Amino acid sequence: MSVKKLILGTTAYTICTFLLAVGWHILLFNERYESYGYFEGEPNFLVGLLTIVLQGALLSILFPMLKIKGNSFQRGLKFALITGAFFWTSHVLAFVAKQEVPGVSAFIWMESLYLMLQFGVFGLIIGIIHRDR
């Protein structure tokens, strides 16, 4: 794995995820998420950003290790589908399993759409980063 691709993948994941997370959860649907009990107190943006950077680095390391068939865009989207599904189970399902969520089906749909958007964008970007030249 090249260091350049690791840095590009980590940076791309960090930027797209942080911007989407802030836009979706805080700017667009803050009241909905507060009603779900999603935020307890003030969000810690620094810890959130560090978490996203670590996720981006780990996903960027993992991508070239998996042998997925198809062109770079197909490989990126297949990778995003696999990793996004894992994140969905650990993020969405775990949240509703840990606490009572009012409007649980609406929460699941909203977070599912958000994760499809997040991982769809990242899948395309990681595919571009690792395209065959």
Side-chain angles (χ1 to χ4, degrees):
M1 150 139 261
S2 81
V3 173
K4 179 181 177 182
K5 289 182 180 183
L6 172 63
I7 292 170
L8 286 172
T10 302
T11 302
Y13 182 85
T14 301
I15 291 170
C16 78
T17 299
F18 191 77
L19 291 177
L20 285 170
V22 169
W24 187 274
H25 295 99
I26 296 171
L27 298 176
L28 292 176
F29 301 112
N30 190 17
E31 290 181 23
R32 295 283 306 261
Y33 281 97
E34 284 181 0
S35 75
Y36 297 138
Y38 194 74
F39 302 117
E40 294 296 325
E42 289 295 313
N44 187 327
F45 285 100
L46 186 58
V47 173
L49 180 60
L50 177 61
T51 301
I52 292 168
V53 170
L54 291 172
Q55 289 171 350
L58 292 170
L59 290 170
S60 296
I61 290 168
L62 181 61
F63 180 77
M65 292 180 179
L66 298 178
K67 301 301 177 203
I68 301 172
K69 295 183 191 241
N71 64 39
S72 63
F73 292 109
Q74 292 168 332
R75 291 187 356 255
L77 290 174
K78 288 175 185 177
F79 178 73
L81 181 63
I82 294 165
T83 56
F86 177 80
F87 273 72
W88 182 80
T89 63
S90 63
H91 177 76
V92 179
L93 294 183
F95 183 77
V96 298
K98 289 187 268 186
Q99 66 189 58
E100 180 126 358
V101 178
V104 68
S105 61
F107 172 80
I108 290 171
W109 276 108
M110 285 186 72
E111 279 300 279
S112 297
L113 289 173
Y114 164 74
L115 287 171
M116 282 190 273
L117 179 63
Q118 174 191 342
F119 279 89
V121 169
F122 178 66
L124 291 173
I125 293 171
I126 200 76
I128 290 169
I129 291 169
H130 287 271
R131 70 184 174 272
D132 299 326
R133 294 180 184 226

